[in-house]
Amino acid sequence: MAKSKLSEYKNDYYFFTGKLSEINRQIAFAGIALIWIFKNGENSDVKIENELILPAILIVLALAFDIFQYIYQSITWSIFYTYYNRKNKSEEKKN
């Protein structure tokens, strides 16, 4: 069955991007936990092996991009909504 409203597409978009972000966060936090488990040093002296530094940086970047994605989407949808809300109000005044 074909979708008839733009809002249905938007809801699907929100569902799938939300699910993707949730999975991405879980994987990133699992990676941080693994790095923490395989660290060297005593309790007061934390030292991460050189081989784990690049994966740690990439995991943190993945989380940062996840946050930036939500910031970008918030700004984009806010502009989109404001534009069409003002446009519809101005058209209502003309009628």
Side-chain angles (χ1 to χ4, degrees):
M1 181 180 354
K3 296 185 185 285
S4 61
K5 292 185 179 181
L6 187 60
S7 63
E8 292 174 353
Y9 290 110
K10 186 172 77 171
N11 289 338
D12 287 345
Y13 166 76
Y14 284 148
F15 173 78
F16 289 111
T17 56
K19 193 55 111 170
L20 180 62
S21 291
E22 181 183 321
I23 292 168
N24 180 49
R25 263 182 249 115
Q26 290 174 354
I27 292 170
F29 288 133
I32 290 171
L34 281 173
I35 290 170
W36 190 257
I37 289 170
F38 290 111
K39 70 177 173 35
N40 275 338
E42 300 299 320
N43 290 339
S44 62
D45 183 29
V46 176
K47 181 181 178 216
I48 297 175
E49 292 289 327
N50 288 337
E51 294 84 13
L52 297 176
I53 292 176
L54 180 61
I57 291 170
L58 294 175
I59 290 168
V60 170
L61 282 174
L63 290 170
F65 282 121
D66 190 38
I67 291 170
F68 290 135
Q69 171 214 213
Y70 281 105
I71 292 169
Y72 170 76
Q73 285 184 12
S74 298
I75 293 169
T76 302
W77 281 107
S78 174
I79 292 169
F80 179 82
Y81 173 78
T82 303
Y83 172 77
Y84 282 103
N85 191 29
R86 288 182 181 168
K87 182 179 176 182
N88 289 336
K89 284 184 180 181
S90 66
E91 288 178 3
E92 288 174 6
K93 288 179 183 177
K94 289 179 183 178
N95 293 335

